[in-house]
Amino acid sequence: MKKASILLIYTGGTIGMMKDPVDGTLKPYDFSVFMEEVPELRKFALKIDSYTFDPLIDSSDVEPSMWQALAELIRDRYDDYDGFVVLHGTDTMAYSASALSFMLDDLAKPVVFTGSQLPIGVPRTDGKENLISSIEIASSMDAEGHAIVPEVVIYFNSKLMRGNRTTKTSSENFDAFSSPNYPLLGEAGINIRFFPEYIRKPLSWVAPLRINTTLDTRVSILKLHPGMTPDVLKHLLCGKETRAVIIETYGSGNAPTKPWFLDIIREAVAMGKIIVNVTQCLEGAVNMSLYEGGKAMHDAGVTSGYDGTTESTLAKLFFLLGLSKDNEAVRTRMEASLKGEISK
Ligand code: ASP
């Protein structure tokens, strides 16, 4: 029987970092570190090939050009592998996994993002378990030979999560990621248990992977806070270069009801800007018909981001703005679920 095969893509991040003896900071190390530190990789009855990005980066330096390169790499190698594991820094992993979920179309194989809080060479590292289980998830198939998780996912600290539902919620715990508004897709204990009722299935198992790599990044994010001034708000919402603004509002999508605030929102909408409302709360959805402040935003032309994360809302805007120059068409598509990123 043919061995399942996995492509391990190394982009950087803490998992492969080592302490620089000169300045004491963590710096990315080349791929050989994994084979040395994780000899268990040789025990898999799998073919594991690797691809290393050059340069390796701390994920704070991730740019959309890296997402484009990742999408192209996965497309080019798609027929050669049963699944893909992407080793990535934790800081922006939720952005990258969200972006890839939109950029890859007709995906029928797993793309598993993982990383770690402690480098793989450190005795108490969480990287080994994250890496080994991610490989197992990426190679898991059902009785018909179909991937069990044909989605872009994040696996971290025993939790398997839809990538575009995930957010980094701890800078120091091993349990660093959460999926606050969507159930886990699986959980690792003695065995890895999958929860198929929550896993997306492709329309076709045999369709070729298509990718969309045109992204328009003219988007900004504004977090509401008491004490905001008209000048600052206007600058952020009505800037010439901005096509869309994500506003992180209070609670279930509330914002100030002051006339100057709503006037500036209306002005931005009249200029054709897309304004998307997501909540600052970790859990729950925007509901713009619950309170006066939310209703006023709705009436001023603001689009609901429902229960999407800020990370996936940003990536979705980059993706949809890249597909179309027509802001009204983008606004309409923002309200629909493209890849399970909102509960709609
Ligand atoms: N700064 C690191 C990164 O995101 C943190 C990590 O990987 O955990 O690349």
Side-chain angles (χ1 to χ4, degrees):
M1 204 175 102
K2 183 178 153 276
K3 277 205 243 174
S5 57
I6 297 297
L7 183 63
L8 193 53
I9 303 169
Y10 177 34
T11 68
T14 296
I15 191 163
M17 287 186 182
M18 283 192 174
K19 238 194 195 132
D20 184 313
V22 180
D23 66 8
T25 60
L26 288 171
K27 300 240 165 71
Y29 205 72
D30 70 61
F31 193 80
S32 58
V33 73
F34 292 99
M35 284 305 177
E36 252 168 59
E37 299 292 344
V38 198
E40 292 87 342
L41 288 178
R42 295 199 187 89
K43 292 194 191 153
F44 272 113
L46 297 170
K47 174 174 174 284
I48 304 176
D49 292 338
S50 65
Y51 180 94
T52 303
F53 269 65
D54 183 17
L56 290 166
I57 54 167
D58 182 298
S59 78
S60 330
D61 275 322
V62 159
E63 289 293 335
S65 55
M66 199 196 87
W67 303 337
Q68 288 154 341
L70 258 178
E72 280 162 12
L73 174 66
I74 292 170
R75 185 217 30 216
D76 294 348
R77 307 288 185 90
Y78 193 68
D79 293 338
D80 303 334
Y81 296 96
D82 297 297
F84 301 82
V85 173
V86 183
L87 300 176
H88 192 291
T90 58
D91 289 344
T92 58
M93 193 187 290
Y95 290 93
S96 296
S98 296
L100 265 290
S101 78
F102 299 119
M103 293 165 78
L104 305 179
D105 251 337
D106 290 329
L107 181 67
K109 296 181 180 181
V111 175
V112 185
F113 279 75
T114 196
S116 68
Q117 294 283 63
L118 280 177
I120 206 127
V122 167
R124 288 184 55 249
T125 186
D126 51 330
K128 272 193 189 187
E129 197 282 323
N130 286 346
L131 171 59
I132 290 169
S133 294
S134 292
I135 291 175
E136 199 162 323
I137 290 163
S139 58
S140 294
M141 291 181 212
D142 64 18
E144 278 135 58
H146 296 145
I148 294 184
V149 191
E151 288 205 39
V152 178
V153 292
I154 289 182
Y155 175 80
F156 215 89
N157 193 49
S158 305
K159 299 192 302 200
L160 181 64
M161 296 160 275
R162 176 168 299 156
N164 58 31
R165 288 291 195 152
T166 308
T167 191
K168 184 175 177 183
T169 43
S170 176
S171 61
E172 49 182 284
N173 293 338
F174 287 150
D175 192 17
F177 286 88
S178 308
S179 171
N181 289 325
Y182 195 75
L184 298 183
L185 308 185
E187 215 162 359
I190 292 177
N191 297 306
I192 299 179
R193 290 185 301 134
F194 295 102
F195 308 131
E197 64 275 33
Y198 300 123
I199 299 175
R200 278 171 66 85
K201 297 284 178 306
L203 290 175
S204 156
W205 289 102
V206 293
L209 180 76
R210 290 177 300 121
I211 64 170
N212 277 297
T213 55
T214 312
L215 302 172
D216 185 339
T217 62
R218 287 176 290 169
V219 183
S220 63
I221 301 174
L222 161 65
K223 182 169 185 159
L224 286 189
H225 58 83
M228 188 161 284
T229 62
D231 284 351
V232 170
L233 184 71
K234 192 159 175 173
H235 184 75
L236 282 162
L237 292 192
C238 301
K240 214 168 72 213
E241 267 304 299
T242 310
R243 279 184 76 188
V245 182
I246 298 167
I247 305 190
E248 285 193 356
T249 57
Y250 306 127
S252 47
N254 301 313
T257 50
K258 297 176 192 81
W260 65 259
F261 180 86
L262 292 164
D263 282 347
I264 295 172
I265 300 263
R266 282 189 210 99
E267 187 181 333
V269 171
M271 288 170 79
K273 317 272 185 208
I274 304 162
I275 315 282
V276 185
N277 185 350
V278 300
T279 174
Q280 293 179 12
C281 294
L282 179 59
E283 212 174 313
V286 159
N287 176 351
M288 289 197 284
S289 54
L290 210 55
Y291 292 94
E292 204 190 331
K295 173 141 189 339
M297 294 270 279
H298 173 265
D299 294 347
V302 172
T303 304
S304 177
Y306 299 95
D307 58 352
T309 62
T310 299
E311 294 91 327
S312 78
T313 307
L314 184 86
K316 186 173 175 181
L317 278 166
F318 283 4
F319 169 74
L320 290 177
L321 292 171
L323 285 186
S324 170
K325 294 200 175 350
D326 176 355
N327 280 14
E328 201 39 48
V330 171
R331 219 182 64 79
T332 308
R333 289 199 71 191
M334 281 304 290
E335 302 225 335
S337 165
L338 303 181
K339 297 289 172 66
E341 72 284 359
I342 51 175
S343 308
K344 233 202 140 202

